[in-house]
Amino acid sequence: MKDYSEYTDQVLTQMMLRKDELAYTEIYKRYWSLLYQHARRMLQNDEEAKNVVQDVFLTLWTRAEGLELSGALASYLYTSVRNKILNIFRKNKIANEHLASLTSFIEHGENITDHQIRERELSEIIEKEIARLPERMQQVFLMKRNENLSYKEIALEMGTTELTVKTQMTNALRVLRKKLGPSTFHSAFPFL
């Protein structure tokens, strides 16, 4: 019987792509612990980390025949774990600092700037939530945020009272804080 532990990642990958279960098992043994530790550092949750790694390996096996791995196996696995974690963060609307910290844990793979991508995605989420505010509330919020006008200046421009402007702003902030979560809200609107 062959000793699969002596094969390189490249050879094991080629064998696994042909549905060699022993090659897959060797890859699993070789990388499960490393990927789990990586996921655990990012998620700070044992069960979520195990689930992420299990999902990556399940996907690797079930889609093995159709996979086109152009780079190193380690890069593919780390990138898969990273992407699953980013999806978890996105779903939970975790603040930007968590998303940016992911890149420092990538040992292999592409050197794209995830931070800029995540920042853009977060900005899009924030803008969508602002766009969902009622029209007058949105107008007050944007005048305060974009033009840095006082409540008095906004009231004059809108032809209303300062109290109405203050109430609209308070309501807008309450809605956005609820929709975005406290940490995302405060990182997005440090002026408030």
Side-chain angles (χ1 to χ4, degrees), residues 39 43 48-56 81 84-85 88:
L43 293 168
E48 274 190 329
K50 286 178 188 174
N51 289 340
V52 163
V53 175
Q54 288 302 107
D55 284 350
V56 167
V81 168
K84 286 196 178 291
I85 291 170
I88 290 169

Side-chain angles (χ1 to χ4, degrees), residues 4-5 9 25 28 35 57 61 82 118 120 124 136 139 152-153 176 180:
Y4 281 73
S5 67
D9 283 359
T25 301
Y28 185 91
L35 294 172
F57 277 108
W61 180 248
R82 179 196 65 204
R118 302 300 158 226
R120 186 180 71 237
E124 288 171 7
R136 296 284 283 180
Q139 187 178 4
K152 186 176 186 173
E153 292 168 322
L176 291 172
L180 299 172

